[in-house]
């Protein structure tokens, strides 16, 4: 490593008080926004416990509807992130949150499979750009030495949404059925979309587009952040948006993220169903049981990424959790072990997938900056989120055909092994920052 790079890293670490101040200002709020986003995205997994019977939907209809969200998401992901880079994060993220909140609430009035498909597609269109947009936004404020743990804290909203959303969704389903003539699953969509709308409005007041606009930072603090990030930008590859979209390395990351994201969405969309198949019928009990895997997931993802930042090692910190998730999914495919062993398998799968996802997102920003980062991160996220449609649809179809999700769990377990191998093929000199 060059002497200038070592000196820069030492300076970055010595300025930890500045980045901790920024983290306390931005991360809890962004995490809360993502919690609301993810809750809106996956609460259909709990709604499924009632709405399939009420609307006479099959598992295939549910799987396609759950997955078609990602079609709209993928199509509009790259243009959305490029627009965010041009018009500013504050306005664009606020637009995203308010629009998805309104569409999410409309899900309560679905009556036919077509309506279900259309609204899930529009929800994907509305949310497109949020995750890569925030990941890009964080690169404006944190250098690489801090980025892994900051991304992990932000992405902790995924397991946190399940910890909060599981019991909340179970309680709504159990307590609100029949209120004002609406079913419990209808109230689920209405109640859980309200936070997104209010948070979207709050973004306009709370967020700053750039470091230079932050009145809560001193001039010296702004200079420290600007100097650290500018120094890194000079060492990064300077490529255009088009070059980023054509980069073989970016596409390889997209394929790897496809493998990782498949496990995230299988857990999010199908965990309530898997627990129900173990003999737990009460929605509230199912909700409480889902908190166990995701509580462990938060601890795993934070500890993994603190270690990755300190060791300046990204590949193995992503690959090993992928392999552990593969083991967990394979064990989930054999439910004869009973509830306790099955919950341990679900916990291993959820914790491994969450840790892998958080570590993974330090990789693209290690060699992309500016508009190229906006396009590249969005492309990787788009390719990965195709897994959302593929995994949920395939699990639903195979469950209807075979009467069990086991075959699909084995399939995606194998994909995670492939994802780990792809990540390990990336040059260590490029991504280990």
């Amino acid at each position: 490593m060059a002497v200038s790079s070592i000196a820069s890293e030492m300076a970055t670490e010595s300025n930890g008080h500045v980045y901790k101040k920024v983290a306390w200002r931005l991360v809890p709020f962004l995490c809360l926004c993502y919690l609301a986003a993810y809750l809106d995205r996956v609460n259909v997994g709990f709604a499924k416990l009632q709405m399939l019977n009420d609307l006479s939907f099959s598992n295939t209809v549910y799987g396609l509807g759950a997955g078609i969200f990602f079609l709209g998401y993928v199509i509009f992901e790259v243009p959305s992130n490029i627009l965010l880079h041009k018009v500013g994060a504050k306005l664009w993220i606020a637009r995203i949150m308010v629009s998805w909140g309104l569409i999410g609430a409309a899900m309560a009035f679905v009556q036919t499979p077509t309506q279900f498909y259309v609204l899930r597609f529009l929800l994907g269109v509305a949310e497109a750009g949020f995750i890569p947009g925030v990941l890009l936004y964080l690169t404006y404020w944190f250098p690489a030495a801090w980025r892994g743990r900051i991304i992990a804290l932000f992405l902790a909203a995924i397991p946190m949404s399940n910890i909060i959303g599981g019991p909340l969704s179970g309680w709504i389903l159990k307590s609100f059925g029949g209120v004002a003539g609406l079913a419990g699953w209808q109230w689920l969509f209405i109640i859980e979309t309200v936070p997104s709308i209010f948070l979207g409005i709050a973004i306009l007041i709370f967020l700053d587009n750039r470091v230079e606009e932050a009145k809560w930072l001193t001039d010296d603090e702004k200079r420290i952040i600007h100097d650290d990030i500018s120094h890194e930008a000079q060492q990064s590859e300077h490529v255009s948006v088009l070059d980023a979209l054509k980069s073989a390395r970016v596409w390889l990351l997209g394929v790897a993220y496809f493998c990782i994201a498949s496990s995230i969405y299988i857990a999010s969309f199908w965990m309530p169903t898997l627990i129900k198949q173990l003999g737990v019928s009460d929605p509230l009990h199912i909700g409480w049981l889902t908190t166990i895997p995701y509580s462990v997931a938060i601890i795993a993802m934070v500890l993994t990424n603190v270690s990755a930042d300190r060791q300046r090692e990204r590949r193995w910190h992503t690959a090993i959790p992928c392999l552990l998730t593969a083991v967990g999914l394979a064990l989930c495919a054999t439910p004869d072990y009973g509830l306790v062993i099955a919950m341990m398998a679900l916990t291993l799968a959820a914790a491994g997938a969450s840790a892998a996802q958080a570590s993974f997102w330090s990789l693209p920003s290690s060699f992309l900056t500016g508009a190229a980062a906006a396009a590249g991160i969005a492309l990787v996220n788009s390719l990965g989120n195709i897994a959302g449609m593929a995994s949920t649809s395939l699990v639903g179809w195979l469950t209807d055909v075979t009467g069990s999700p086991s075959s699909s769990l084995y399939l995606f377990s194998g994909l995670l092994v492939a994802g780990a191998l792809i990540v390990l093929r990336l040059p260590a000199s490029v991504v280990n920052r």
Side-chain angles (χ1 to χ4, degrees):
M1 183 180 294
V3 173
S4 61
S5 296
I6 296 174
S8 175
E9 288 182 8
M10 292 176 63
T12 299
E13 291 295 341
S14 68
N15 293 324
H17 65 285
V18 176
Y19 294 109
K20 288 177 183 177
K21 180 178 179 179
V22 176
W24 277 110
R25 167 76 182 195
L26 296 181
V27 175
F29 180 72
L30 291 173
C31 191
L32 186 61
C33 292
Y34 193 20
L35 189 154
Y38 208 78
L39 195 61
D40 275 355
R41 183 189 298 190
V42 303
N43 58 10
V44 70
F46 272 90
K48 172 183 181 288
L49 299 176
Q50 292 182 353
M51 71 183 294
L52 262 64
N53 286 333
D54 288 357
L55 302 178
S56 299
F57 287 178
S58 66
N59 281 301
T60 301
V61 169
Y62 166 75
L64 180 57
I68 207 169
F69 164 93
F70 297 98
L71 179 60
Y73 191 93
V74 167
I75 292 173
F76 289 92
E77 184 88 317
V78 173
S80 178
N81 221 35
I82 292 174
L83 280 171
L84 180 145
H85 184 66
K86 290 184 177 180
V87 307
K90 180 164 65 174
L91 178 63
W92 199 247
I93 293 176
R95 190 282 305 165
I96 288 173
M97 293 196 67
V98 172
S99 61
W100 92 49
L102 295 173
I103 295 169
M107 286 287 298
F109 305 102
V110 162
Q111 294 296 319
T112 67
T114 300
Q115 293 172 353
F116 182 48
Y117 299 151
V118 169
L119 283 179
R120 288 291 296 177
F121 174 82
L122 292 177
L123 190 63
V125 172
E127 193 180 322
F130 178 78
I131 299 171
V134 173
L135 293 173
L136 175 66
Y137 181 69
L138 291 173
T139 68
Y140 301 159
W141 298 83
F142 297 97
W146 284 82
R147 211 167 285 155
R149 72 199 83 172
I150 294 300
I151 290 174
L153 289 171
F154 166 63
L155 293 178
I158 296 178
M160 186 64 71
S161 70
N162 288 280
I163 292 172
I164 296 172
L168 176 63
S169 298
W171 175 71
I172 292 171
L173 289 176
K174 187 173 182 178
S175 304
F176 278 75
V179 175
L182 298 177
W185 64 268
Q186 292 176 296
W187 279 112
L188 177 66
F189 286 123
I190 294 170
I191 293 172
E192 291 188 351
T193 52
V194 171
S196 297
I197 297 172
F198 283 101
L199 286 168
I201 297 170
I203 283 173
L204 297 173
I205 302 169
F206 194 80
L207 283 191
D208 298 292
N209 284 321
R210 296 278 182 172
V211 175
E212 294 77 14
E213 301 174 11
K215 296 180 180 179
W216 43 275
L217 289 173
T218 67
D219 290 340
D220 284 343
E221 289 167 341
K222 293 177 184 178
R223 177 185 52 76
I224 288 170
I225 298 171
H226 179 270
D227 290 349
D228 284 344
I229 293 177
S230 295
H231 183 269
E232 282 191 355
Q234 292 170 5
Q235 296 181 318
S236 299
E237 297 180 16
H238 294 277
V239 297
S240 66
V241 169
L242 184 59
D243 288 336
L245 296 178
K246 294 190 298 182
S247 168
R249 195 178 295 152
V250 170
W251 282 87
L252 193 65
L253 283 172
V255 175
Y257 191 53
F258 176 96
C259 301
I260 296 170
S262 65
S263 62
I264 294 286
Y265 292 119
I266 286 174
S268 296
F269 285 109
W270 289 93
M271 188 179 291
T273 299
L274 292 173
I275 294 174
K276 185 177 181 179
Q277 289 178 348
L278 294 168
V280 182
S281 58
D282 190 313
L284 186 57
H285 293 165
I286 293 173
W288 281 113
L289 284 172
T290 62
T291 67
I292 297 173
Y294 291 113
S295 297
V296 177
I298 291 175
I299 298 171
M301 66 196 301
V302 173
L303 291 179
T304 299
N305 283 275
V306 168
S307 173
D309 280 348
R310 288 176 177 171
Q311 297 183 35
R312 296 292 193 274
E313 201 293 315
R314 309 293 180 185
R315 298 185 308 159
W316 284 102
H317 280 83
T318 304
I320 291 175
C322 282
L323 297 175
L324 292 175
T325 307
V327 173
L329 287 179
L331 290 174
C332 289
T334 312
D336 296 338
Y337 292 129
L339 181 61
V340 174
I341 301 298
M343 288 303 302
M344 292 175 64
L346 284 171
T347 300
L348 180 61
S354 297
Q357 183 188 39
S359 296
F360 173 87
W361 278 118
S362 295
L363 300 176
S365 60
S366 64
F367 61 90
L368 295 172
T369 60
I377 290 172
L379 177 59
V380 170
N381 198 52
S382 294
L383 293 172
N385 276 285
I386 293 174
M389 184 170 185
S391 62
T392 54
S393 300
L394 186 58
V395 173
W397 177 71
L398 285 174
T399 300
D400 277 340
V401 171
T402 65
S404 168
S406 295
S407 57
S408 55
L409 294 177
Y410 285 127
L411 171 63
F412 287 104
S413 178
L415 272 181
L416 279 159
V417 175
L421 296 176
I422 291 171
V423 168
L424 292 175
R425 285 181 58 86
L426 294 168
S429 59
V430 173
V431 298
N432 285 343
R433 293 178 55 190

